[in-house]
Amino acid sequence: MNENQDEFIDTEDISSPIADMNSVDITADTLKFNVMRDLSNLPEKILNMANDMYEQSIEIEENNNGLAVIESDTAEKVLSEKLPDGKEAFTSDVKRKAECKKRLLENNDYQALLKATEDLKKKRQLDTIQLEFLNNSLKSARALSRLIGVD
């Protein structure tokens, strides 16, 4: 540290843990307790989160299959639809796709399933972040346990 930095440090605001050894012992005991608690609790939390995410993946897949069935049925109905004179109602691929899209937007079951799937995907993304946090917390607890000698 150079001489100019000394004038910016207000030493009265700095409390030294060495000044009161009892507070150091309490802090160390609290740290050990917290590390042991984390080492004990985090693996189960991680497992539960991973299981929840697995179940979400299954539900998302089931919803996607349901959406595909509705889309297929809608496309089949549009393709087979005839005018009173027996001609195809939608003669071009562009018209058929537009009609399918319109009908899917009007289909309440499809829209509800689509919303549920999107909500599940968002929850899964948030849970992925939470799972990463829990894994990082466990790694930190393990590193701390090695440093402070907690078995």
Side-chain angles (χ1 to χ4, degrees), residues 69-127:
V69 167
I70 295 171
E71 290 167 359
S72 176
D73 289 346
T74 303
E76 185 180 328
K77 288 176 185 174
V78 168
L79 185 60
S80 64
E81 196 167 310
K82 305 286 184 200
L83 294 174
D85 63 3
K87 294 182 181 178
E88 290 183 355
F90 306 99
T91 55
S92 73
D93 191 43
V94 172
K95 289 180 182 178
R96 284 190 291 272
K97 285 182 180 179
E99 183 62 22
C100 283
K101 188 172 184 174
K102 177 183 170 244
R103 290 183 186 188
L104 290 173
L105 286 171
E106 295 170 350
N107 184 324
N108 291 334
D109 292 337
Y110 181 84
Q111 292 301 316
L113 194 54
L114 183 63
K115 171 119 175 62
T117 304
E118 290 170 356
D119 290 347
L120 272 172
K121 287 178 181 179
K122 287 177 188 174
K123 181 169 179 8
R124 192 170 192 311
Q125 288 175 335
L126 293 174
D127 286 351

Side-chain angles (χ1 to χ4, degrees), residues 12-25:
E12 290 181 24
D13 289 339
I14 300 174
S15 60
S16 171
I18 298 171
D20 182 7
M21 289 306 288
N22 290 334
S23 68
V24 173
D25 291 337

